Amino acid sequence: MDLSLIVEKGIDILINKNTGKWIAIKNNEEQDLKIIKKISRELLIDKFGNKFGTYLWSKRIEMSEKIEDKFCHQMNCLVINVTDSCNLKCQYCYANNENKIKMIDSETIIKAVEKFSERIYPNNLTVIFHGGEPLLAFEKIKEAVENLKHIKNVVYSLQTNGTLLTQEKLIFFKKNKFLIGLSIDGISDENNSLRNIDGKIKDYTNKNLEILKNNKSFVKPLIVVHKKNINNIKEIVNFFKNNDFDGLVCNLLFEPENFDNCVLDDSLFDNMRYILDLMMENYDGENFAFSERDIRLLFRKVIYGFIDEYMCMNSPCGAGKETVAVDYKGDVWACNVLISKTEKDNYMGNIFENSINEILSKEVKISKRNIDSIPICNECSYKKLCGGGGCCGFVTNQRNNLKDKSIYCDYHFKLITYMIDSVMRYYESDIITNF
């Protein structure tokens, strides 16, 4: 049985790495992290006494049973990459950001939405307009949406840098029930200096903050975490909470060629755990009044056992199955971070040339990234909870290696342990479990 015991200051966690089931017990020891992988009844009784040790040993059979799959693994998200071009050139962006504008036409958008929404009807299809900067193609998006009114199972979203947002566009998006993710890396110009290079856009930070505050019901902040904002995370998060936002997104930075701006030291965990602390202050035992998306989803996975709920926290992930991306030519890819001009391993077909069955039955390279075949992941006690340390596409793209270790491996280990400890403190309990 694949049990291991994680011994940490204040807490001991007995976990089955293959199911994600765990039991945590409070301890009063002052000690550094220790992981014990050979578990016996004698060890548990010696460490926890006859009462708890025998209890833990009796629970080991239940811990080996797979947690029920609580998520339906089917196509549910279509990313439409409307252009490679952008009016900014963010230092860390994975998009091509070409100067030569290549724009999608409304016919391609309509064709993609009709074909994929019909495939999953009556379930909803989330359509995300992406880029480059998708607002460069606003008129094409607007024309397509107005000609798709007959499709009833579509939910629209768009990710933008905000610089091209106008009142007219905001009215259109609100009327058509869009959710807008507005990219902003903080509340100061320094926080946004990797995005607004050399101050190219005047008043970039203040303008985007005003857009967010005036349209918070459907425009949400999307932050990339890097060296220019990590030490201001507390102030950034508190700004949005104090301005009555219900949450935000903090994406860890995966740079495409190097790690110059990635936060790889202890300051990442030291600052990000503050977000969890803030969330726990606004927790009612079931829901958060304020939350960060990825920490909330990881919390549901770790604490409630929603093991397969979010594709980007799984390995293999849902790229090519739950999510596909369509580019301006109608080419279909497993995920928008895998669109490539040279590599075809994650290419799935074309919406004008192939049927949906042909497209979705295509095997893609990214599906072969599996934590069971990644040595360092397979040995990790938290492998079922962590899912490989972030987006499979980003991790693979950094070194073009399907079996590469995530640069955020250590961060996730610390965060999961802290998460379990936080829940134990919340309930003021000496023992808790996720099954």
Side-chain angles (χ1 to χ4, degrees):
M1 188 176 297
D2 293 295
L3 292 178
S4 58
L5 182 65
I6 300 169
V7 181
E8 183 69 284
K9 179 181 178 181
I11 190 170
D12 298 308
I13 303 169
L14 183 71
I15 186 168
N16 186 314
K17 69 176 184 178
N18 288 326
T19 66
K21 291 185 176 182
W22 53 261
I23 299 173
I25 294 178
K26 183 179 180 181
N27 72 41
N28 297 311
E29 301 176 22
E30 295 285 336
Q31 57 189 14
D32 295 329
L33 173 67
K34 183 179 181 182
I35 301 175
I36 303 171
K37 295 191 175 181
K38 291 186 178 180
I39 307 298
S40 67
R41 183 175 185 272
E42 291 73 21
L43 169 69
L44 296 178
I45 290 176
D46 179 64
K47 181 161 181 56
F48 301 108
N50 190 68
K51 179 182 177 181
F52 278 156
T54 302
Y55 170 78
L56 293 177
W57 185 251
S58 69
K59 284 289 184 181
R60 76 195 193 284
I61 301 301
E62 292 178 52
M63 294 177 71
S64 68
E65 297 173 356
K66 184 180 179 181
I67 293 178
E68 179 184 359
D69 187 352
K70 300 176 182 176
F71 190 69
C72 183
H73 294 276
Q74 67 166 15
M75 165 72 184
N76 61 74
C77 181
L78 170 65
V79 181
I80 301 181
N81 209 72
V82 299
T83 180
D84 286 339
S85 302
C86 186
N87 62 329
L88 294 182
K89 196 171 181 63
C90 301
Q91 190 170 323
Y92 53 69
C93 187
Y94 66 86
N96 293 313
N97 292 330
E98 294 186 347
N99 292 322
K100 184 178 180 181
I101 296 179
K102 298 176 180 177
M103 204 76 66
I104 201 167
D105 56 41
S106 57
E107 179 190 2
T108 304
I109 297 173
I110 293 169
K111 185 75 169 178
V113 173
E114 286 182 337
K115 291 186 77 167
F116 284 106
S117 64
E118 182 181 5
R119 169 60 182 258
I120 70 168
Y121 184 85
N123 295 320
N124 280 343
L125 175 70
T126 297
V127 176
I128 304 175
F129 293 101
H130 215 283
E133 171 49 52
L135 290 184
L136 289 170
F138 173 73
E139 292 301 327
K140 303 296 184 182
I141 294 171
K142 180 180 179 182
E143 181 182 352
V145 170
E146 289 177 341
N147 282 279
L148 285 165
K149 299 290 188 182
H150 60 289
I151 306 293
K152 303 302 182 183
N153 63 321
V154 172
V155 178
Y156 292 114
S157 180
L158 181 143
Q159 185 172 321
T160 176
N161 61 38
T163 58
L164 300 178
L165 273 175
T166 62
Q167 192 60 33
E168 174 196 358
K169 292 169 185 174
L170 286 165
I171 290 172
F172 170 81
F173 290 135
K174 185 174 184 179
K175 177 182 176 182
N176 288 280
K177 300 179 180 179
F178 270 66
L179 177 65
I180 306 297
L182 196 158
S183 297
I184 185 168
D185 290 350
I187 56 177
S188 72
D189 290 336
E190 173 65 14
N191 295 156
N192 287 291
S193 59
L194 299 181
R195 180 177 294 282
N196 186 25
I197 305 297
D198 298 325
K200 178 180 177 181
I201 307 297
K202 186 178 180 181
D203 294 329
Y204 173 86
T205 302
N206 289 334
K207 285 181 179 178
N208 275 354
L209 289 176
E210 284 302 307
I211 290 172
L212 284 162
K213 287 191 290 185
N214 293 332
N215 302 276
K216 66 184 68 172
S217 65
F218 68 102
V219 183
K220 306 296 182 180
L222 196 160
I223 295 163
V224 175
V225 178
H226 48 66
K227 290 181 179 179
K228 296 291 186 179
N229 63 10
I230 186 59
N231 292 320
N232 301 117
I233 286 296
K234 294 179 182 179
E235 292 87 347
I236 294 167
V237 172
N238 278 317
F239 172 86
F240 289 109
K241 181 180 180 297
N242 293 336
N243 278 279
D244 298 323
F245 284 81
D246 57 6
L248 73 171
V249 176
C250 292
N251 287 329
L252 303 182
L253 174 60
F254 286 90
E255 286 180 288
E257 296 180 356
N258 57 61
F259 311 142
D260 289 350
N261 296 301
C262 299
V263 184
L264 302 179
D265 59 20
D266 290 341
S267 67
L268 179 62
F269 171 71
D270 291 342
N271 284 281
M272 293 297 287
R273 71 176 176 179
Y274 173 80
I275 301 178
L276 178 60
D277 291 338
L278 191 63
M279 288 169 59
M280 294 303 294
E281 291 175 10
N282 296 269
Y283 181 57
D284 63 7
E286 186 173 344
N287 297 303
F288 297 102
F290 177 89
S291 68
E292 190 282 322
R293 183 197 63 184
D294 288 354
I295 294 178
R296 172 173 52 82
L297 290 169
L298 183 62
F299 186 94
R300 286 169 60 82
K301 190 173 186 180
V302 173
I303 306 302
Y304 294 126
F306 285 77
I307 293 297
D308 298 312
E309 183 181 33
Y310 182 44
M311 59 163 278
C312 293
M313 288 183 178
N314 293 328
S315 177
C317 69
K321 299 296 182 185
E322 297 170 35
T323 292
V324 298
V326 173
D327 67 15
Y328 64 91
K329 297 180 292 185
D331 287 340
V332 183
W333 302 82
C335 179
N336 61 301
V337 304
L338 299 169
I339 294 175
S340 172
K341 289 181 172 55
T342 57
E343 301 292 332
K344 295 293 184 180
D345 293 335
N346 293 297
Y347 172 76
M348 302 176 68
N350 184 283
I351 58 169
F352 296 106
E353 300 170 5
N354 303 101
S355 70
I356 293 296
N357 285 339
E358 289 174 328
I359 291 170
L360 294 180
S361 63
K362 181 72 179 295
E363 287 297 318
V364 290
K365 180 180 178 180
I366 196 64
S367 66
K368 296 177 182 178
R369 178 173 168 82
N370 190 322
I371 50 176
D372 293 329
S373 61
I374 303 170
I376 195 164
C377 289
N378 193 42
E379 291 299 315
C380 180
S381 303
Y382 288 151
K383 76 169 188 177
K384 194 66 176 176
L385 302 178
C386 169
C391 168
C392 290
F394 281 141
V395 173
T396 300
N397 283 346
Q398 284 194 306
R399 296 194 185 97
N400 196 28
N401 182 359
L402 282 172
K403 296 185 178 181
D404 206 7
K405 171 186 175 181
S406 168
I407 60 175
Y408 296 114
C409 177
D410 294 340
Y411 163 74
H412 280 92
F413 192 98
K414 291 178 181 178
L415 183 61
I416 291 171
T417 302
Y418 188 71
M419 198 169 276
I420 295 172
D421 183 56
S422 295
V423 172
M424 179 172 281
R425 285 185 277 111
Y426 175 83
Y427 284 109
E428 298 181 342
S429 175
D430 289 338
I431 182 168
I432 59 170
T433 179
N434 71 340
F435 67 95

